Amino acid sequence: MNALTLAIPSKGRLKDKSEAFFAAAGYELVQEGGERGYRAQLVGADGVSVLLLPARDIAQGLIDGAFHAGITGEDLLHELTETPGKNAVVVKRLGFGGADVVVAVPNCWLDVSTLTDLDAAGALFRQTHGRRLRVATKYMRITRRHFARASFGEYRLVYSAGATEAAPASGAADLIVDITSTGATLAANNLKVLEDGVLLESEASLTFARTADWTDAARAALANLRTGMELDANADGALDAFMTNMTKL
Amino acid sequence: MGRSIGSPFERLGGELVDPDMILPVALPLDLCGESVRARLCVFTDHNNQDMALRPDLTLPVALAEIEGRASGAVTGEHVQRYEARAFRQPAAAGEPMEFVQVGFERFGAEASAQIDAETYALVSDAAEGAGVEDGIAQFGDLGILPGFIDLLDLSAATKAGLRRAFREEGGVRAFLERRDSAGDAFVQSLQGLDRAGVENKVAERFAADGIAHFSDRTHNEVVTRLMEQARELENGAVPELAKRTLEAVLDVRCGLDEAAGVLGEIARKAGIEAGAAAMLETLERRFALIAQHSARFLDGAVFSPGFGRRFTYYDGFVFEIAERGERQSRPFGAGGRYDHLLTDLSHGKVHATAIGGVVRPDRLALAGKRGTGT
């Protein structure tokens, strides 16, 4: 009887590292139907079934409460809801999949190194060209939220699903908000990150869904799963707080 | 029912219109910025272009006005009235996405305290005619802070920055404590240079760092901004007196009859009372006329210079009338002056003063019911 559903990334480094995280806790991941299956078991974790999903679907599922827990990027948790932390609660940052969501502009803009500079540049740009500066990004919500907080308004968003760093050179946009781990791709595309341009420091995170179906069996399965995981005091406390709040629902 | 609510506006003449319901999303976004995107009802057409249902009537009415004036069909004073639907994503639970606005937009009339007061009178007439007996008005004037900025001893770039910052929530204070490139070693090295000198330094820097220009934002714009930044550095930080003055203006929240006096005192302390006199006289006259001619919804009414900033068209006199208490953030009547909108929307081709007023029949009905205790 599987009482608790856990979603982990279905491919790539995120999958490998997630698998390693559970292996360290003494739970071996065994995929049903071999490497390409999308369901799995954690051997030794009774009552837990595992879904292998794209990271974006995991974030959405945690926000919606479609499953109990999952590993996904904080960037996605922040992008997919207006109220990050409300339904999907990060209990532990896992120390891999680290990357920053940043504002990057063409390196030939010698006059722009902060958002205040960008605002002034944007105002002159609008006077000169009759339109606002265009920001290419797949992080529409994060960008809008952060720019509003920074009182920066001289921009328009353009959705970009991929290869965002190429947008300024192709003319699709004037600057970008994108995720980067080393900055190498940005530099290769002649872009520089603004000094106050880090909007979010993101990591793969063990996250719990507040609105999932937390039956007694699900709680029992979690209590059992947790015995193997070596959570530090912070994560332990966060999980306790989460479970306490759950009972109040 | 809509007809009877809008009947006070018929006094202005003009015609009843129902302009375009669908607009390219670029129009409100370029005009107002991304902050309005969350409130727009947007869909994608067959060519993958984002379109928006009109978020109010002001924008499509202004577009029609521009067309009329550009073709010469409309000149002088001209009024458009409407009783039509608008669409917005609700900001609060329980608010409708689709609602009716009954209002008017008046173009090319004299920009005066008299016309401002008349606009308030028309909107309060419409509310009263709909059976609303109690309510509370809030007033702003989006020309006041920019007026003070102009009078202070500041560089042109700082003034422009402050005027922009005023339009963003918390922007002026953030701007006064800003971090920008003025402290950069590179910008410092540009001090005292003329344009050719700055261009040389930029070329050196490009060569040293292997940078080449690429971007719709032109090389000229980069150089212009660098020169402004170098000049800013020479001018030094915003003086304490100017900071204190602007913060004092932003903090004003007072009764209508005190407004001109309170602002006059701030101007006097800053040594700019002569320059501010005309602006404050208009403010005083406007509120005197409002109190004389249409003293409704004024019990407890408050003026603050920054009120109405989030309505990005408005650039002068602005007001809202709402129920007292928790529904005060959902006004049943509003209006204001937007003398620069036609210029901005037409990229400088058409100029005309503009002022408008509007009521929401759904909210009037609610306020009327509550007021009579049913």
Side-chain angles (χ1 to χ4, degrees):
Chain A
M1 179 65 198
N2 290 321
L4 183 117
T5 309
L6 178 73
I8 69 170
S10 53
K11 58 182 181 187
R13 264 174 41 97
L14 283 182
K15 183 199 171 199
D16 298 344
K17 295 270 188 179
S18 300
E19 210 173 328
F21 169 73
F22 285 110
Y27 306 117
E28 190 200 346
L29 186 83
V30 179
Q31 279 172 257
E32 293 167 13
E35 269 293 286
R36 287 172 177 272
Y38 287 101
R39 287 189 165 274
Q41 299 295 330
L42 281 177
V43 177
D46 291 341
V48 176
S49 71
V50 177
L51 292 174
L52 295 158
L53 295 172
R56 194 177 181 90
D57 294 358
I58 296 175
Q60 188 66 59
L62 289 166
I63 289 162
D64 297 343
F67 29 78
H68 298 91
I71 292 176
T72 188
E74 288 171 296
D75 58 323
L76 297 167
L77 292 171
H78 280 253
E79 177 58 19
L80 292 172
T81 169
E82 287 294 344
T83 50
K86 184 167 172 250
N87 287 345
V89 181
V90 171
V91 161
K92 185 176 170 58
R93 306 180 95 193
L94 296 173
F96 59 87
D100 295 343
V101 178
V102 301
V103 187
V105 305
N107 61 3
C108 59
W109 294 7
L110 295 185
D111 58 318
V112 178
S113 45
T114 68
L115 282 171
T116 305
D117 295 333
L118 189 58
D119 197 51
L124 179 62
F125 184 88
R126 182 142 67 106
Q127 263 174 35
T128 312
H129 302 268
R131 66 170 176 86
R132 287 178 194 250
L133 286 175
R134 283 197 287 251
V135 182
T137 187
K138 65 169 180 259
Y139 298 104
M140 308 276 276
R141 282 205 176 110
I142 291 174
T143 304
R144 207 161 49 213
R145 255 196 316 260
H146 189 91
F147 283 0
R149 224 177 291 140
S151 302
F152 168 59
E154 288 289 348
Y155 72 103
R156 274 277 317 277
L157 291 176
V158 181
Y159 184 75
S160 162
T164 306
E165 64 280 352
S170 76
D174 303 295
L175 62 143
I176 67 169
V177 169
D178 203 6
I179 196 150
T180 176
S181 44
T182 62
T185 312
L186 295 178
N189 284 279
N190 299 312
L191 301 173
K192 63 176 180 182
V193 176
L194 297 185
E195 284 166 19
D196 53 357
V198 177
L199 307 192
L200 181 73
E201 291 171 345
S202 173
E203 260 180 44
S205 297
L206 178 61
T207 304
F208 285 79
R210 207 181 280 289
T211 57
D213 188 13
W214 285 98
T215 58
D216 288 347
R219 284 159 199 273
L222 176 59
N224 177 44
L225 179 69
R226 175 172 191 182
T227 56
M229 293 193 287
E230 279 178 28
L231 296 178
D232 52 61
N234 268 346
D236 234 7
L239 189 51
D240 284 341
F242 175 81
M243 292 312 291
T244 310
N245 285 333
M246 289 299 316
T247 50
K248 284 183 194 149
L249 272 181
Chain B
M1 185 173 178
R3 184 151 300 274
S4 69
I5 288 177
S7 61
F9 304 156
E10 289 167 14
R11 294 208 294 270
L12 291 174
E15 68 266 30
L16 198 62
V17 298
D18 190 355
D20 291 345
M21 199 170 293
I22 294 168
L23 310 163
V25 78
L27 211 61
L29 290 184
D30 271 336
L31 195 63
C32 307
E34 283 287 335
S35 53
V36 305
R37 188 190 284 263
R39 301 297 311 280
L40 293 173
C41 296
V42 177
F43 65 96
T44 306
D45 75 3
H46 292 299
N47 298 318
N48 221 20
Q49 297 296 306
D50 280 346
M51 309 298 282
L53 295 173
R54 61 188 180 201
D56 58 36
L57 271 294
T58 306
L59 192 52
V61 162
L63 288 171
E65 185 72 17
I66 286 169
E67 212 171 291
R69 285 180 186 266
S71 72
V74 175
T75 54
E77 185 176 339
H78 179 235
V79 173
Q80 298 190 54
R81 290 178 288 109
Y82 48 82
E83 304 174 6
R85 280 176 297 172
F87 307 85
R88 272 182 227 172
Q89 302 277 359
E95 287 288 293
M97 194 179 297
E98 174 178 352
F99 52 88
V100 171
Q101 289 193 327
V102 178
F104 65 89
E105 309 294 340
R106 183 177 189 180
F107 302 98
E110 183 196 5
S112 68
Q114 181 67 43
I115 301 277
D116 293 346
E118 197 182 331
T119 300
Y120 180 77
L122 287 166
V123 171
S124 45
D125 279 354
E128 200 175 52
V132 178
E133 284 158 13
D134 191 36
I136 182 166
Q138 278 180 281
F139 294 89
D141 187 330
L142 303 181
I144 298 280
L145 192 85
F148 271 80
I149 291 168
D150 276 343
L151 292 167
L152 291 169
D153 185 21
L154 300 168
S155 71
T158 300
K159 286 181 178 181
L162 281 166
R163 274 194 294 266
R164 280 197 312 278
F166 175 51
R167 287 306 183 131
E168 305 292 328
E169 198 65 47
V172 170
R173 283 188 174 88
F175 185 86
L176 291 174
E177 287 147 27
R178 72 197 188 277
R179 194 153 67 93
D180 61 19
S181 288
D184 255 30
F186 181 66
V187 174
Q188 275 170 15
S189 76
L190 306 176
Q191 283 188 80
L193 297 181
D194 62 5
R195 192 167 191 102
V198 171
E199 277 175 1
N200 276 335
K201 286 275 189 187
V202 170
E204 281 172 24
R205 178 79 184 270
F206 272 27
D209 293 354
I211 296 173
H213 182 82
F214 75 100
S215 150
D216 283 356
R217 185 165 179 256
T218 62
H219 189 63
N220 258 337
E221 289 172 73
V222 174
V223 172
T224 299
R225 278 294 304 147
L226 284 169
M227 291 181 71
E228 279 181 7
Q229 287 171 340
R231 233 178 293 133
E232 284 296 277
L233 210 54
E234 287 157 30
N235 292 330
V238 175
E240 273 312 307
L241 178 63
K243 274 190 194 177
R244 272 206 308 277
T245 304
L246 295 176
E247 282 173 358
V249 172
L250 282 173
D251 284 340
V252 168
R253 206 181 140 73
C254 63
L256 309 189
D257 50 352
E258 301 165 276
V262 169
L263 288 168
E265 183 56 22
I266 295 170
R268 196 188 56 76
K269 283 188 185 149
I272 54 173
E273 65 268 44
M279 171 170 80
L280 298 183
E281 249 164 57
T282 302
L283 186 72
E284 189 164 29
R285 214 168 99 72
R286 177 194 301 149
F287 286 141
L289 288 169
I290 285 173
Q292 270 171 38
H293 296 312
S294 51
R296 281 154 301 168
F297 311 118
L298 296 184
D299 186 18
V302 165
F303 166 79
S304 56
F307 175 75
R309 263 178 300 184
R310 63 181 195 277
F311 313 114
T312 40
Y313 313 141
Y314 293 135
D315 48 28
F317 171 57
V318 51
F319 66 92
E320 275 185 6
I321 317 173
E323 288 179 66
R324 290 176 200 278
E326 59 179 25
R327 287 189 60 83
Q328 205 182 338
S329 62
R330 282 166 261 179
F332 53 69
R337 186 167 279 291
Y338 50 97
D339 290 336
H340 296 97
L341 181 65
L342 296 198
T343 308
D344 289 350
L345 260 182
S346 68
H347 298 295
K349 288 189 207 71
V350 170
H351 309 278
T353 64
I355 190 165
V358 64
V359 291
R360 287 268 302 255
D362 56 336
R363 291 177 177 172
L364 285 172
L366 265 179
K369 257 186 228 159
R370 271 177 239 266
T372 54
T374 50

mmCIF file of all heavy atoms in Angstrom, chain B residues 264 267-278 280:
data_model
loop_
_atom_site.group_PDB
_atom_site.id
_atom_site.type_symbol
_atom_site.label_atom_id
_atom_site.label_comp_id
_atom_site.label_asym_id
_atom_site.label_seq_id
_atom_site.Cartn_x
_atom_site.Cartn_y
_atom_site.Cartn_z
ATOM 1 N N GLY B 264 2.776 75.095 1.079
ATOM 2 C CA GLY B 264 3.411 76.414 1.017
ATOM 3 C C GLY B 264 4.502 76.542 2.065
ATOM 4 O O GLY B 264 5.573 77.102 1.801
ATOM 5 N N ALA B 267 7.490 74.663 0.912
ATOM 6 C CA ALA B 267 8.167 75.439 -0.144
ATOM 7 C C ALA B 267 8.974 76.592 0.464
ATOM 8 O O ALA B 267 10.090 76.875 0.035
ATOM 9 C CB ALA B 267 7.140 75.973 -1.139
ATOM 10 N N ARG B 268 8.397 77.229 1.497
ATOM 11 C CA ARG B 268 9.082 78.352 2.117
ATOM 12 C C ARG B 268 10.398 77.904 2.755
ATOM 13 O O ARG B 268 11.448 78.516 2.575
ATOM 14 C CB ARG B 268 8.171 78.996 3.175
ATOM 15 C CG ARG B 268 8.606 80.394 3.623
ATOM 16 C CD ARG B 268 7.781 80.890 4.803
ATOM 17 N NE ARG B 268 7.806 79.974 5.939
ATOM 18 C CZ ARG B 268 8.833 79.830 6.778
ATOM 19 N NH1 ARG B 268 9.912 80.551 6.623
ATOM 20 N NH2 ARG B 268 8.761 78.976 7.787
ATOM 21 N N LYS B 269 10.332 76.774 3.470
ATOM 22 C CA LYS B 269 11.552 76.253 4.116
ATOM 23 C C LYS B 269 12.629 75.915 3.083
ATOM 24 O O LYS B 269 13.809 75.946 3.386
ATOM 25 C CB LYS B 269 11.215 75.009 4.938
ATOM 26 C CG LYS B 269 10.544 75.337 6.266
ATOM 27 C CD LYS B 269 10.424 74.072 7.108
ATOM 28 C CE LYS B 269 9.648 74.334 8.386
ATOM 29 N NZ LYS B 269 8.903 73.131 8.810
ATOM 30 N N ALA B 270 12.173 75.541 1.878
ATOM 31 C CA ALA B 270 13.138 75.186 0.833
ATOM 32 C C ALA B 270 13.558 76.397 0.018
ATOM 33 O O ALA B 270 14.384 76.282 -0.888
ATOM 34 C CB ALA B 270 12.536 74.117 -0.080
ATOM 35 N N GLY B 271 12.961 77.571 0.336
ATOM 36 C CA GLY B 271 13.306 78.786 -0.396
ATOM 37 C C GLY B 271 12.757 78.814 -1.813
ATOM 38 O O GLY B 271 13.325 79.471 -2.694
ATOM 39 N N ILE B 272 11.662 78.112 -2.075
ATOM 40 C CA ILE B 272 11.116 78.082 -3.435
ATOM 41 C C ILE B 272 9.646 78.523 -3.451
ATOM 42 O O ILE B 272 8.888 78.150 -4.343
ATOM 43 C CB ILE B 272 11.233 76.659 -4.049
ATOM 44 C CG1 ILE B 272 10.603 75.612 -3.126
ATOM 45 C CG2 ILE B 272 12.677 76.304 -4.325
ATOM 46 C CD1 ILE B 272 10.528 74.216 -3.730
ATOM 47 N N GLU B 273 9.269 79.322 -2.424
ATOM 48 C CA GLU B 273 7.841 79.661 -2.324
ATOM 49 C C GLU B 273 7.357 80.495 -3.512
ATOM 50 O O GLU B 273 6.210 80.353 -3.937
ATOM 51 C CB GLU B 273 7.510 80.366 -0.995
ATOM 52 C CG GLU B 273 8.149 81.733 -0.785
ATOM 53 C CD GLU B 273 9.485 81.631 -0.053
ATOM 54 O OE1 GLU B 273 10.294 80.739 -0.394
ATOM 55 O OE2 GLU B 273 9.743 82.444 0.855
ATOM 56 N N ALA B 274 8.237 81.339 -4.075
ATOM 57 C CA ALA B 274 7.803 82.158 -5.207
ATOM 58 C C ALA B 274 7.457 81.261 -6.398
ATOM 59 O O ALA B 274 6.410 81.418 -7.028
ATOM 60 C CB ALA B 274 8.907 83.139 -5.573
ATOM 61 N N GLY B 275 8.348 80.300 -6.667
ATOM 62 C CA GLY B 275 8.124 79.410 -7.811
ATOM 63 C C GLY B 275 6.900 78.535 -7.641
ATOM 64 O O GLY B 275 6.215 78.194 -8.611
ATOM 65 N N ALA B 276 6.619 78.155 -6.380
ATOM 66 C CA ALA B 276 5.521 77.222 -6.135
ATOM 67 C C ALA B 276 4.172 77.930 -6.044
ATOM 68 O O ALA B 276 3.126 77.265 -6.035
ATOM 69 C CB ALA B 276 5.787 76.443 -4.842
ATOM 70 N N ALA B 277 4.188 79.266 -5.996
ATOM 71 C CA ALA B 277 2.958 80.005 -5.688
ATOM 72 C C ALA B 277 1.807 79.698 -6.646
ATOM 73 O O ALA B 277 0.689 79.399 -6.216
ATOM 74 C CB ALA B 277 3.256 81.507 -5.671
ATOM 75 N N ALA B 278 2.078 79.730 -7.956
ATOM 76 C CA ALA B 278 1.002 79.552 -8.933
ATOM 77 C C ALA B 278 0.373 78.164 -8.801
ATOM 78 O O ALA B 278 -0.854 78.014 -8.795
ATOM 79 C CB ALA B 278 1.556 79.756 -10.341
ATOM 80 N N LEU B 280 0.290 76.212 -6.201
ATOM 81 C CA LEU B 280 -0.461 76.048 -4.957
ATOM 82 C C LEU B 280 -1.750 76.877 -4.968
ATOM 83 O O LEU B 280 -2.740 76.491 -4.359
ATOM 84 C CB LEU B 280 0.422 76.398 -3.761
ATOM 85 C CG LEU B 280 1.654 75.482 -3.628
ATOM 86 C CD1 LEU B 280 2.456 75.820 -2.375
ATOM 87 C CD2 LEU B 280 1.263 74.004 -3.617
#
